[in-house]
mmCIF file of all heavy atoms in Angstrom:
data_model
loop_
_atom_site.group_PDB
_atom_site.id
_atom_site.type_symbol
_atom_site.label_atom_id
_atom_site.label_comp_id
_atom_site.label_asym_id
_atom_site.label_seq_id
_atom_site.Cartn_x
_atom_site.Cartn_y
_atom_site.Cartn_z
ATOM 1 N N TRP A 1 -179.310 -148.025 140.128
ATOM 2 C CA TRP A 1 -178.887 -148.742 141.277
ATOM 3 C C TRP A 1 -178.962 -150.258 141.162
ATOM 4 O O TRP A 1 -178.229 -150.939 141.921
ATOM 5 C CB TRP A 1 -179.830 -148.379 142.460
ATOM 6 C CG TRP A 1 -179.493 -147.085 143.105
ATOM 7 C CD1 TRP A 1 -180.173 -145.821 142.913
ATOM 8 C CD2 TRP A 1 -178.439 -146.758 143.961
ATOM 9 N NE1 TRP A 1 -179.477 -144.901 143.466
ATOM 10 C CE2 TRP A 1 -178.492 -145.370 144.255
ATOM 11 C CE3 TRP A 1 -177.376 -147.465 144.571
ATOM 12 C CZ2 TRP A 1 -177.663 -144.830 145.120
ATOM 13 C CZ3 TRP A 1 -176.529 -146.942 145.425
ATOM 14 C CH2 TRP A 1 -176.572 -145.545 145.637
ATOM 15 N N LEU A 2 -179.651 -150.772 140.176
ATOM 16 C CA LEU A 2 -179.670 -152.188 139.795
ATOM 17 C C LEU A 2 -178.639 -152.556 138.935
ATOM 18 O O LEU A 2 -177.935 -153.571 139.017
ATOM 19 C CB LEU A 2 -180.991 -152.575 139.347
ATOM 20 C CG LEU A 2 -182.172 -152.553 140.351
ATOM 21 C CD1 LEU A 2 -183.449 -152.970 139.631
ATOM 22 C CD2 LEU A 2 -181.888 -153.454 141.467
ATOM 23 N N VAL A 3 -178.383 -151.628 137.851
ATOM 24 C CA VAL A 3 -177.603 -151.981 136.745
ATOM 25 C C VAL A 3 -176.098 -151.940 137.255
ATOM 26 O O VAL A 3 -175.250 -152.828 136.890
ATOM 27 C CB VAL A 3 -177.887 -151.186 135.550
ATOM 28 C CG1 VAL A 3 -176.785 -151.323 134.487
ATOM 29 C CG2 VAL A 3 -179.150 -151.462 135.011
ATOM 30 N N LEU A 4 -175.598 -150.906 137.846
ATOM 31 C CA LEU A 4 -174.244 -150.663 138.147
ATOM 32 C C LEU A 4 -173.604 -151.802 138.969
ATOM 33 O O LEU A 4 -172.570 -152.261 138.585
ATOM 34 C CB LEU A 4 -173.988 -149.301 138.708
ATOM 35 C CG LEU A 4 -174.370 -148.138 137.785
ATOM 36 C CD1 LEU A 4 -174.096 -146.787 138.383
ATOM 37 C CD2 LEU A 4 -173.670 -148.151 136.425
ATOM 38 N N PRO A 5 -174.228 -152.144 140.123
ATOM 39 C CA PRO A 5 -173.634 -153.186 140.870
ATOM 40 C C PRO A 5 -173.709 -154.634 140.120
ATOM 41 O O PRO A 5 -172.724 -155.354 140.325
ATOM 42 C CB PRO A 5 -174.450 -153.315 142.287
ATOM 43 C CG PRO A 5 -175.132 -152.051 142.251
ATOM 44 C CD PRO A 5 -175.320 -151.461 140.863
ATOM 45 N N SER A 6 -174.720 -154.834 139.331
ATOM 46 C CA SER A 6 -174.780 -156.218 138.668
ATOM 47 C C SER A 6 -173.738 -156.150 137.552
ATOM 48 O O SER A 6 -173.144 -157.274 137.283
ATOM 49 C CB SER A 6 -176.241 -156.325 138.082
ATOM 50 O OG SER A 6 -176.511 -155.368 137.254
ATOM 51 N N GLN A 7 -173.396 -155.054 136.976
ATOM 52 C CA GLN A 7 -172.403 -154.962 135.993
ATOM 53 C C GLN A 7 -171.057 -155.371 136.515
ATOM 54 O O GLN A 7 -170.194 -156.032 135.977
ATOM 55 C CB GLN A 7 -172.255 -153.555 135.389
ATOM 56 C CG GLN A 7 -173.177 -153.212 134.286
ATOM 57 C CD GLN A 7 -172.691 -151.804 133.718
ATOM 58 O OE1 GLN A 7 -172.663 -150.926 134.418
ATOM 59 N NE2 GLN A 7 -172.680 -151.845 132.371
ATOM 60 N N LEU A 8 -170.756 -154.663 137.741
ATOM 61 C CA LEU A 8 -169.485 -155.041 138.490
ATOM 62 C C LEU A 8 -169.390 -156.401 138.769
ATOM 63 O O LEU A 8 -168.336 -157.096 138.580
ATOM 64 C CB LEU A 8 -169.356 -154.135 139.671
ATOM 65 C CG LEU A 8 -168.085 -154.025 140.399
ATOM 66 C CD1 LEU A 8 -166.950 -153.634 139.559
ATOM 67 C CD2 LEU A 8 -168.103 -153.367 141.692
ATOM 68 N N LEU A 9 -170.428 -156.986 139.301
ATOM 69 C CA LEU A 9 -170.464 -158.379 139.733
ATOM 70 C C LEU A 9 -170.268 -159.366 138.511
ATOM 71 O O LEU A 9 -169.540 -160.332 138.612
ATOM 72 C CB LEU A 9 -171.630 -158.818 140.610
ATOM 73 C CG LEU A 9 -171.708 -158.237 141.903
ATOM 74 C CD1 LEU A 9 -173.050 -158.499 142.575
ATOM 75 C CD2 LEU A 9 -170.568 -158.558 142.724
ATOM 76 N N LEU A 10 -170.879 -159.059 137.402
ATOM 77 C CA LEU A 10 -170.850 -159.853 136.203
ATOM 78 C C LEU A 10 -169.547 -159.776 135.582
ATOM 79 O O LEU A 10 -168.853 -160.820 135.154
ATOM 80 C CB LEU A 10 -171.999 -159.366 135.212
ATOM 81 C CG LEU A 10 -171.887 -160.098 133.869
ATOM 82 C CD1 LEU A 10 -172.449 -161.494 134.203
ATOM 83 C CD2 LEU A 10 -172.880 -159.462 132.888
ATOM 84 N N THR A 11 -168.906 -158.556 135.586
ATOM 85 C CA THR A 11 -167.445 -158.406 135.085
ATOM 86 C C THR A 11 -166.531 -159.242 135.828
ATOM 87 O O THR A 11 -165.700 -159.912 135.196
ATOM 88 C CB THR A 11 -167.146 -156.970 134.992
ATOM 89 O OG1 THR A 11 -168.027 -156.266 134.152
ATOM 90 C CG2 THR A 11 -165.704 -156.859 134.498
ATOM 91 N N ILE A 12 -166.547 -159.150 137.147
ATOM 92 C CA ILE A 12 -165.713 -160.005 138.002
ATOM 93 C C ILE A 12 -165.871 -161.295 137.786
ATOM 94 O O ILE A 12 -164.880 -162.185 137.743
ATOM 95 C CB ILE A 12 -165.955 -159.468 139.515
ATOM 96 C CG1 ILE A 12 -165.373 -158.158 139.647
ATOM 97 C CG2 ILE A 12 -165.169 -160.415 140.323
ATOM 98 C CD1 ILE A 12 -165.784 -157.624 141.066
ATOM 99 N N GLY A 13 -167.142 -161.873 137.646
ATOM 100 C CA GLY A 13 -167.371 -163.223 137.501
ATOM 101 C C GLY A 13 -166.849 -163.799 136.103
ATOM 102 O O GLY A 13 -166.315 -164.861 135.988
ATOM 103 N N LEU A 14 -167.042 -162.936 135.068
ATOM 104 C CA LEU A 14 -166.577 -163.356 133.788
ATOM 105 C C LEU A 14 -165.042 -163.380 133.701
ATOM 106 O O LEU A 14 -164.403 -164.249 133.052
ATOM 107 C CB LEU A 14 -167.164 -162.412 132.749
ATOM 108 C CG LEU A 14 -168.678 -162.636 132.400
ATOM 109 C CD1 LEU A 14 -169.117 -161.585 131.402
ATOM 110 C CD2 LEU A 14 -168.897 -164.082 131.894
ATOM 111 N N VAL A 15 -164.405 -162.405 134.337
ATOM 112 C CA VAL A 15 -162.947 -162.412 134.328
ATOM 113 C C VAL A 15 -162.393 -163.614 135.024
ATOM 114 O O VAL A 15 -161.371 -164.199 134.706
ATOM 115 C CB VAL A 15 -162.397 -161.021 134.894
ATOM 116 C CG1 VAL A 15 -160.987 -161.046 135.288
ATOM 117 C CG2 VAL A 15 -162.780 -159.951 133.952
ATOM 118 N N LEU A 16 -163.068 -163.946 136.262
ATOM 119 C CA LEU A 16 -162.541 -165.073 137.039
ATOM 120 C C LEU A 16 -162.739 -166.378 136.257
ATOM 121 O O LEU A 16 -162.047 -167.324 136.367
ATOM 122 C CB LEU A 16 -163.298 -165.129 138.349
ATOM 123 C CG LEU A 16 -162.818 -163.999 139.314
ATOM 124 C CD1 LEU A 16 -163.679 -164.106 140.639
ATOM 125 C CD2 LEU A 16 -161.462 -164.110 139.600
ATOM 126 N N LEU A 17 -163.985 -166.475 135.459
ATOM 127 C CA LEU A 17 -164.226 -167.642 134.696
ATOM 128 C C LEU A 17 -163.088 -167.669 133.533
ATOM 129 O O LEU A 17 -162.680 -168.812 133.189
ATOM 130 C CB LEU A 17 -165.547 -167.507 134.025
ATOM 131 C CG LEU A 17 -166.005 -168.667 133.145
ATOM 132 C CD1 LEU A 17 -166.105 -169.983 133.996
ATOM 133 C CD2 LEU A 17 -167.357 -168.333 132.389
ATOM 134 N N ALA A 18 -162.811 -166.567 132.887
ATOM 135 C CA ALA A 18 -161.716 -166.711 131.867
ATOM 136 C C ALA A 18 -160.397 -167.075 132.496
ATOM 137 O O ALA A 18 -159.537 -167.787 131.781
ATOM 138 C CB ALA A 18 -161.692 -165.249 131.210
ATOM 139 N N GLN A 19 -160.146 -166.573 133.692
ATOM 140 C CA GLN A 19 -158.858 -166.937 134.438
ATOM 141 C C GLN A 19 -158.865 -168.554 134.590
ATOM 142 O O GLN A 19 -157.911 -169.228 134.431
ATOM 143 C CB GLN A 19 -158.672 -166.224 135.568
ATOM 144 C CG GLN A 19 -157.370 -166.310 136.282
ATOM 145 C CD GLN A 19 -156.359 -165.888 135.629
ATOM 146 O OE1 GLN A 19 -156.331 -164.871 134.881
ATOM 147 N NE2 GLN A 19 -155.139 -166.378 135.840
ATOM 148 N N TYR A 20 -160.044 -168.962 135.037
ATOM 149 C CA TYR A 20 -160.254 -170.414 135.479
ATOM 150 C C TYR A 20 -160.013 -171.268 134.162
ATOM 151 O O TYR A 20 -159.465 -172.285 134.244
ATOM 152 C CB TYR A 20 -161.487 -170.712 136.251
ATOM 153 C CG TYR A 20 -161.805 -171.999 136.496
ATOM 154 C CD1 TYR A 20 -161.089 -172.640 137.520
ATOM 155 C CD2 TYR A 20 -162.645 -172.883 135.716
ATOM 156 C CE1 TYR A 20 -161.325 -174.021 137.866
ATOM 157 C CE2 TYR A 20 -162.909 -174.203 136.067
ATOM 158 C CZ TYR A 20 -162.242 -174.747 137.087
ATOM 159 O OH TYR A 20 -162.390 -176.065 137.357
ATOM 160 N N ILE A 21 -160.569 -170.804 133.029
ATOM 161 C CA ILE A 21 -160.555 -171.681 131.853
ATOM 162 C C ILE A 21 -159.109 -171.632 131.321
ATOM 163 O O ILE A 21 -158.729 -172.607 130.674
ATOM 164 C CB ILE A 21 -161.497 -171.035 130.743
ATOM 165 C CG1 ILE A 21 -162.947 -171.304 131.134
ATOM 166 C CG2 ILE A 21 -161.277 -171.611 129.447
ATOM 167 C CD1 ILE A 21 -163.922 -170.617 130.305
ATOM 168 N N GLY A 22 -158.378 -170.611 131.634
ATOM 169 C CA GLY A 22 -156.987 -170.516 131.147
ATOM 170 C C GLY A 22 -156.687 -169.842 129.968
ATOM 171 O O GLY A 22 -155.782 -170.094 129.207
ATOM 172 N N LEU A 23 -157.581 -168.753 129.571
ATOM 173 C CA LEU A 23 -157.359 -168.000 128.436
ATOM 174 C C LEU A 23 -156.062 -167.136 128.587
ATOM 175 O O LEU A 23 -155.598 -166.778 129.648
ATOM 176 C CB LEU A 23 -158.557 -167.041 128.219
ATOM 177 C CG LEU A 23 -159.851 -167.649 127.945
ATOM 178 C CD1 LEU A 23 -160.945 -166.550 127.820
ATOM 179 C CD2 LEU A 23 -159.824 -168.416 126.663
ATOM 180 N N LEU A 24 -155.498 -167.011 127.399
ATOM 181 C CA LEU A 24 -154.192 -166.212 127.397
ATOM 182 C C LEU A 24 -154.565 -164.744 127.225
ATOM 183 O O LEU A 24 -155.679 -164.393 126.918
ATOM 184 C CB LEU A 24 -153.376 -166.697 126.242
ATOM 185 C CG LEU A 24 -152.953 -168.101 126.231
ATOM 186 C CD1 LEU A 24 -152.124 -168.441 124.949
ATOM 187 C CD2 LEU A 24 -152.085 -168.361 127.411
ATOM 188 N N ASN A 25 -153.697 -163.829 127.407
ATOM 189 C CA ASN A 25 -153.771 -162.408 127.253
ATOM 190 C C ASN A 25 -154.705 -161.799 128.403
ATOM 191 O O ASN A 25 -155.887 -161.484 127.958
ATOM 192 C CB ASN A 25 -154.121 -162.026 125.831
ATOM 193 C CG ASN A 25 -154.023 -160.462 125.619
ATOM 194 O OD1 ASN A 25 -153.463 -159.758 126.595
ATOM 195 N ND2 ASN A 25 -154.490 -160.113 124.467
ATOM 196 N N PRO A 26 -154.416 -161.869 129.610
ATOM 197 C CA PRO A 26 -155.442 -161.348 130.634
ATOM 198 C C PRO A 26 -155.866 -159.963 130.457
ATOM 199 O O PRO A 26 -157.060 -159.606 130.614
ATOM 200 C CB PRO A 26 -154.630 -161.461 131.956
ATOM 201 C CG PRO A 26 -153.457 -162.197 131.664
ATOM 202 C CD PRO A 26 -153.257 -162.211 130.155
ATOM 203 N N ALA A 27 -155.013 -159.023 129.965
ATOM 204 C CA ALA A 27 -155.430 -157.588 129.642
ATOM 205 C C ALA A 27 -156.479 -157.592 128.444
ATOM 206 O O ALA A 27 -157.404 -156.740 128.732
ATOM 207 C CB ALA A 27 -154.189 -156.826 129.236
ATOM 208 N N GLY A 28 -156.353 -158.477 127.618
ATOM 209 C CA GLY A 28 -157.267 -158.382 126.486
ATOM 210 C C GLY A 28 -158.642 -158.831 126.986
ATOM 211 O O GLY A 28 -159.742 -158.214 126.643
#
């Protein structure tokens, strides 16, 4: 119950950070 929601929030945060930085290949 602690790990699964924190994984989801961490993944969303890291993907948004990668988008903000401007990395290429979003699917990758």
Side-chain angles (χ1 to χ4, degrees):
W1 280 103
L2 294 173
V3 168
L4 296 181
S6 62
Q7 275 187 309
L8 188 62
L9 293 175
L10 183 66
T11 301
I12 291 171
L14 288 174
V15 167
L16 290 177
L17 179 68
Q19 184 72 26
Y20 178 74
I21 291 173
L23 294 178
L24 300 175
N25 192 6

